């Protein structure tokens, strides 16, 4: 029987998971592994099944709460929520004011994550090489075929939440990374930040409500499938995921978003971009990009910092297991 302090510690571990999922490339699932709550977390989610629904409909609230390991799930989710809300504003500020350094940091995180996933797989054979190549091709295809500006319609927000939440239970890939691929990372971070600051509160509340409904549907609908794949084809699933992550690096190349770089260094253009539905005209972006400061050494430094952060997490996890 857990005591209050035990659930408080579970909440702290959930906060660490939330902090990881805000940052593309660091997986909340990886943090759950490191802190020793992964199996219980996935198992508790899997218990939200037909039997749990029957208990709830019959008014057997106590049985339902015990069946789904409710206090544990509540502690984890509360920790994740507090962490996400606290860090969303910071990430939005960094992306607006320091895009090159921020994306370089993400780039280093993602490179390190994919390397450690592949290092953990033993017994390599030709099939695994083919699966890795398949994952890379899928990653590149998704990133290059997806439009720069995906729709902000509520149906797409719902879909984004349903897909992104699945990454929370996958070690090595984060929900924010999925949002990054879908072109909705900055948008969702901005909505969370707006809720905290009170700016466009009801509009942001509606968006986040739809996103959270999609997340609930996604995690209930796909968690059992993902858990089944990892249980039966663990290596094959992780290899495809690692390849997907590697291929998706084209999305987070620090200098790929020229408009963001130009706006971060020209406040007047940033204000102009906010008033134009399609953003700045391409000729203006090209003109200012020719003389923009590319912060190459700063990008290298932050990429190394991001790489080192994931390395430190992996080393800490191995030390804790020992």
């Amino acid at each position: 029987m857990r005591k209050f302090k035990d659930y408080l510690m579970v909440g702290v571990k959930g906060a660490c998971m939330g902090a990881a999922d805000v940052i593309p490339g660091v997986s909340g699932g990886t943090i759950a592994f490191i802190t020793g709550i992964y199996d219980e977390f996935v198992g508790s989610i899997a218990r939200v099944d037909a039997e749990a629904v029957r208990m709830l409909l019959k008014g057997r609230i106590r049985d339902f709460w015990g069946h789904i390991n409710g206090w544990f799930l509540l502690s984890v989710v509360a920790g994740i929520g507090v962490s996400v809300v606290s860090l969303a504003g910071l990430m939005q500020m960094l992306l607006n004011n320091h895009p090159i350094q921020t994306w370089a940091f993400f780039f280093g995180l993602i490179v390190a994550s994919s390397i450690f996933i592949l290092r953990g797989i033993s017994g390599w054979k030709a099939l695994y090489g083919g699966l890795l190549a398949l994952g890379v091709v899928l990653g590149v295809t998704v990133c290059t075929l997806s439009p720069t500006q995906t729709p902000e319609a509520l149906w797409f927000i719902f879909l984004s939440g349903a897909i992104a939440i699945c990454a929370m239970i996958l070690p090595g890939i984060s929900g924010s990374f999925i949002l990054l691929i879908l072109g909705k990372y900055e948008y969702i971070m901005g909505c969370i930040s707006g809720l905290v600051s009170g700016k466009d509160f009801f509009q942001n509340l509606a968006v986040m409500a739809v996103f959270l409904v999609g997340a609930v549907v996604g995690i209930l609908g796909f968690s059992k499938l993902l858990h089944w794949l990892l249980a039966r084809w663990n290596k094959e699933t992780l290899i495809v995921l690692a390849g997907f992550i590697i291929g998706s690096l084209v999305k987070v190349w620090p200098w790929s978003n020229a408009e963001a770089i130009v706006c971060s260094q020209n406040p007047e253009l940033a204000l102009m971009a906010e008033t134009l539905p399609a953003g700045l005209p391409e000729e203006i972006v090209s003109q200012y990009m020719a003389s923009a400061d590319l912060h190459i050494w700063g990008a290298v430094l932050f990429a190394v910092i991001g790489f080192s952060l994931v390395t430190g997490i992996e080393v800490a996890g191995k030390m804790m297991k020992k």
Side-chain angles (χ1 to χ4, degrees), residues 144-156:
T144 54
L145 291 183
S146 61
T148 304
Q149 296 293 330
T150 51
E152 295 178 357
L154 292 180
W155 68 266
F156 193 81

Side-chain angles (χ1 to χ4, degrees), residues 22-73:
V22 168
I23 303 172
V26 181
S27 168
T30 300
I31 301 300
F33 261 124
I34 292 173
T35 56
I37 62 172
Y38 182 79
D39 289 342
E40 186 173 4
F41 180 60
V42 175
S44 298
I45 295 174
R47 291 179 193 173
V48 184
D49 51 16
E51 179 64 24
V53 173
R54 280 193 291 269
M55 290 178 181
L56 191 60
L57 293 177
K58 291 180 180 179
R60 296 162 54 191
I61 305 299
R62 180 170 301 198
D63 293 338
F64 164 79
W65 198 246
H67 180 75
I68 67 170
N69 198 9
W71 289 116
F72 171 84
L73 277 180

Side-chain angles (χ1 to χ4, degrees), residues 232-294:
R232 285 161 177 77
W233 295 291
N234 183 269
K235 290 182 179 180
E236 292 82 355
T237 303
L238 290 178
I239 288 171
V240 173
L241 286 172
F244 188 85
I245 293 172
I246 294 170
S248 301
L249 284 171
V250 298
K251 188 78 172 183
V252 294
W253 181 246
W255 299 277
S256 61
N257 192 337
E259 182 176 334
I261 295 172
V262 168
C263 288
S264 69
Q265 300 179 19
N266 297 271
E268 297 83 4
L269 292 180
L271 291 174
M272 182 189 301
E274 292 179 0
T275 63
L276 300 175
L280 294 174
E282 187 175 343
E283 56 271 17
I284 293 180
V285 174
S286 299
Q287 176 186 347
Y288 280 89
M289 191 65 183
S291 59
D293 186 350
L294 299 182

